[in-house]
Amino acid sequence: MIYRFGAFSLDKARQELRRGDALVEAEPLALALIQHLIEHRDRLVGKDELFDVLWDGRAVSDAALSTCIKSARRAVDDSGTLQAAIKTVHGKGLRWVAQLETPGPATTQERQTDLDQPEEEWIAASRRPSLAILPFDILGGDMTAATLSEAIPHELIAAISRLRWISVIARGSSFRFRSGNGNLVEIRQKLGVRYCLTGSVEMIGRQVCISVELAETSDGQVIWAERFQSPLEEVHQIRETIVAQVIFAVEMQIPLSEAAKARLQSPENIDVWATYHLGLQSLYRFDQSDNARAIAMFEKAIALDPGFARAHAALSFAHFKTAFMHYGTNRDVAVNAARGSAERGIELDPMDPFTNFNMGRSLWLVDDLTGAQSWLGRATSLSPSFAQGLYARAWTETVSGASDTGRRLSDEARALSPLDPMLYAMLGTRAISLSQQNRDYEAAKWIERSANAPGSHYLIKAIAVALNDMAGKPGEAASWAERLLQQRQDITQAQFFRSFPFRDDTYRARMAEALRRHGIE
């Protein structure tokens, strides 16, 4: 569907605003506001409704709405004085007043994207993966099962819609299908989605049994499945667990699937999204050459689509690694690049948890832990099940000296993402939090798990040296020191404490002495 008004056209399916043939750079929230006002142009739209639509009912200030309205007006060459498109009815709300042409499908030259098109062209119209969540099947006639069959998918739609990198079909469309009476080919054709989440609910006595599957619509391949069971009395707990686990599966399994597809394409045919995911595959390997490949991929994705917020955020992540891991000789260049890319991601999509996460992490590099806490808190507020956001908050709290909070957040992150590529860091954060409370023997056990986990890097080995020494295990500490120096002979305490700026001077001195006893000056 394309809405045309004056010199402008808003393509609903592609989420693009154009002035003539030129693409207008506009924030996603501004586009969402314009679209909502157009679709409800026959009435006044109140402020509370806009908060629900734009922020899913989350508590934000009136100033945030005012900023969004200004951005929307600026995008369509309107203003608070002119009010040629968006009219303010003071104290009540907004109305769309610009003359609208009869909405219809795009012309051939504009690449139609309505549902009457062939499925491949419809799916190709969006660079983002797309997901339909269907109401679950009911096994048996129990009323509780019938309620859960719609309540849980509804909550999943609301939760996953907060993940700004994936398109989620609204309930009004996806709930026209049932898992058992609509095959994936039909769902792909009708809804234009690459992925589909289905499930079933069954009552066995007083036990609730819920099965969930995530599949590709192109070939029906199941990329994730799980079965949950609990007493009926604990249905709220199982509901929260399902939401958390499905979000984890979406965040982990869909990117893996997208990257696998990208590898099958010739380089000249890799699109923006595939390029981005190839970069992600290298991003989570803490190796200098892999990090360089990730930077190259993200820069390529940005060159193809400068408005792709997540690519800017991921580029910030990669530059963060360059500075944090002390790759190269000019750390300041990497620090500035991490901050700049994060800021650009925030400009493009301030509501994406991943952009907020990387903005927070970029502040670690300049020792602004208070600023980092604010941005990381925003990331997990936008997506409460964002495991890496919880881990980053855990690390920040722990280094700041709030060991109890750090350990709790670290445990929450591991529970949400038990196979996360940053699992070693979650384990290491827990180890440090225990060490700060002089629980050295426990800390040594946890850092062993961290240092032996996949992806663990040389800085984790340095922590293993210190915590084993502090636990009275000099042999184990010496063994880790040997492995550390084989991997990174040039490590110094200055480098270590630049990456881990502990606020507690007593603890910092204790760790420094432990490192010094094993040749790390």
Side-chain angles (χ1 to χ4, degrees):
M1 184 70 72
I2 293 183
Y3 299 104
R4 296 182 177 85
F5 50 96
F8 294 90
S9 60
L10 175 64
D11 189 325
K12 178 178 176 179
R14 299 173 70 181
Q15 284 295 287
E16 288 182 351
L17 178 67
R18 292 183 177 274
R19 183 190 294 105
D21 293 329
L23 183 66
V24 176
E25 291 291 342
E27 296 176 357
L29 280 175
L31 291 180
L33 173 63
I34 294 168
Q35 179 181 315
H36 189 76
L37 291 176
I38 288 175
E39 292 178 343
H40 298 85
R41 58 193 178 276
D42 58 334
R43 63 178 177 85
L44 182 73
V45 176
K47 183 174 71 174
D48 289 343
E49 178 179 340
L50 291 173
F51 280 126
D52 286 338
V53 170
L54 300 177
W55 287 281
D56 195 27
R58 293 187 296 276
V60 297
S61 66
D62 288 349
L65 179 58
S66 297
T67 299
C68 184
I69 294 169
K70 289 178 182 177
S71 296
R73 282 183 165 139
R74 186 165 53 247
V76 297
D77 291 343
D78 199 6
S79 69
T81 302
L82 184 62
Q83 296 196 13
I86 300 172
K87 180 177 178 59
T88 300
V89 180
H90 290 291
K92 295 183 178 180
L94 302 174
R95 280 203 68 173
W96 182 265
V97 294
Q99 184 65 36
L100 197 70
E101 296 181 25
T102 302
T107 64
T108 302
Q109 290 78 14
E110 290 169 326
R111 292 185 64 201
Q112 298 180 0
T113 55
D114 64 3
L115 290 177
D116 294 329
Q117 276 194 266
E119 60 177 271
E120 294 306 326
E121 189 171 351
W122 161 252
I123 291 168
S126 172
R127 68 166 183 266
R128 295 186 294 171
S130 45
L131 171 69
I133 300 172
L134 275 53
F136 292 175
D137 286 338
I138 307 164
L139 304 182
D142 189 277
M143 284 300 296
T144 301
T147 301
L148 291 175
S149 74
E150 294 198 0
I152 291 177
H154 176 80
E155 291 200 12
L156 288 170
I157 290 171
I160 296 175
S161 294
R162 297 175 184 172
L163 304 178
R164 306 285 290 180
W165 60 270
I166 186 168
S167 298
V168 183
I169 299 298
R171 173 189 171 123
S173 295
S174 61
F175 271 39
R176 295 183 182 184
F177 295 86
R178 287 278 174 183
S179 301
N181 58 18
N183 62 44
L184 293 179
V185 173
E186 181 185 8
I187 290 165
R188 181 180 175 88
Q189 290 174 337
K190 297 292 186 181
L191 298 180
V193 292
R194 302 184 203 176
Y195 299 92
C196 185
L197 187 85
T198 60
S200 64
V201 182
E202 181 180 13
M203 293 296 300
I204 304 176
R206 299 291 294 175
Q207 293 286 311
V208 182
C209 300
I210 300 175
S211 297
V212 187
E213 281 190 357
L214 179 63
E216 296 189 39
T217 58
S218 59
D219 56 11
Q221 180 181 353
V222 176
I223 61 176
W224 175 81
E226 189 60 85
R227 180 176 172 83
F228 305 89
Q229 183 169 339
S230 81
L232 179 59
E233 294 75 17
E234 299 175 8
V235 68
H236 291 299
Q237 289 92 323
I238 193 175
R239 173 180 55 81
E240 292 173 0
T241 300
I242 291 171
V243 171
Q245 288 296 309
V246 168
I247 289 177
F248 163 65
V250 167
E251 285 275 33
M252 292 296 294
Q253 299 302 329
I254 288 181
L256 289 175
S257 175
E258 293 287 312
K261 291 175 188 173
R263 287 197 303 271
L264 299 177
Q265 302 177 51
S266 59
E268 62 272 22
N269 291 327
I270 293 177
D271 62 11
V272 178
W273 187 251
T275 302
Y276 167 73
H277 278 285
L278 287 176
L280 282 189
Q281 284 207 322
S282 295
L283 184 65
Y284 291 109
R285 301 183 187 122
F286 276 71
D287 174 85
Q288 188 167 355
S289 58
D290 276 309
N291 200 54
R293 279 192 289 272
I295 289 174
M297 283 295 177
F298 298 139
E299 288 178 339
K300 179 180 178 182
I302 291 168
L304 292 169
D305 183 357
F308 187 9
R310 278 218 158 190
H312 288 279
L315 182 59
S316 173
F317 193 131
H319 285 307
F320 167 88
K321 281 174 55 185
T322 298
F324 185 80
M325 299 293 294
H326 306 284
Y327 298 149
T329 56
N330 195 330
R331 183 177 184 271
D332 289 342
V333 171
V335 170
N336 292 333
R339 178 69 176 270
S341 295
E343 288 176 342
R344 182 58 179 148
I346 289 291
E347 288 173 7
L348 291 167
D349 194 348
M351 301 302 289
D352 184 349
F354 190 58
T355 61
N356 283 268
F357 164 80
N358 283 288
M359 188 66 201
R361 295 238 300 176
S362 73
L363 297 178
W364 288 3
L365 301 174
V366 293
D367 202 13
D368 182 4
L369 297 184
T370 301
Q373 287 169 327
S374 176
W375 284 102
L376 295 170
R378 178 176 163 84
T380 54
S381 175
L382 290 167
S383 180
S385 297
F386 183 20
Q388 289 190 13
L390 288 169
Y391 145 68
R393 284 180 59 198
W395 186 94
T396 307
E397 295 288 347
T398 300
V399 173
S400 298
S403 55
D404 283 336
T405 302
R407 187 165 67 255
R408 176 181 59 79
L409 290 170
S410 175
D411 290 344
E412 287 182 24
R414 286 189 299 112
L416 286 171
S417 188
L419 300 177
D420 200 276
M422 301 289 288
L423 177 61
Y424 69 88
M426 299 173 187
L427 295 168
T429 299
R430 195 181 207 283
I432 292 173
S433 70
L434 291 166
S435 174
Q436 288 176 330
Q437 297 179 342
N438 296 315
R439 296 164 63 178
D440 294 329
Y441 184 77
E442 293 175 76
K445 290 173 60 178
W446 281 94
I447 198 59
E448 290 279 343
R449 289 181 60 185
S450 170
N452 285 313
S456 177
H457 51 74
Y458 80 98
L459 290 171
I460 300 295
K461 291 182 176 65
I463 298 173
V465 172
L467 298 195
N468 273 288
D469 183 272
M470 291 155 66
K473 301 169 69 176
E476 288 84 345
S479 176
W480 280 112
E482 182 179 356
R483 294 163 67 177
L484 166 62
L485 294 173
Q486 287 175 351
Q487 185 175 351
R488 190 71 182 253
Q489 290 184 345
D490 63 346
I491 184 173
T492 65
Q493 287 199 19
Q495 288 179 345
F496 180 82
F497 288 115
R498 194 175 296 131
S499 295
F500 299 100
F502 294 106
R503 288 289 187 264
D504 186 330
D505 290 338
T506 301
Y507 182 75
R508 181 185 178 118
R510 188 171 171 232
M511 182 169 275
E513 182 57 32
L515 291 171
R516 189 172 297 112
R517 280 194 287 269
H518 294 274
I520 302 167
E521 299 289 343

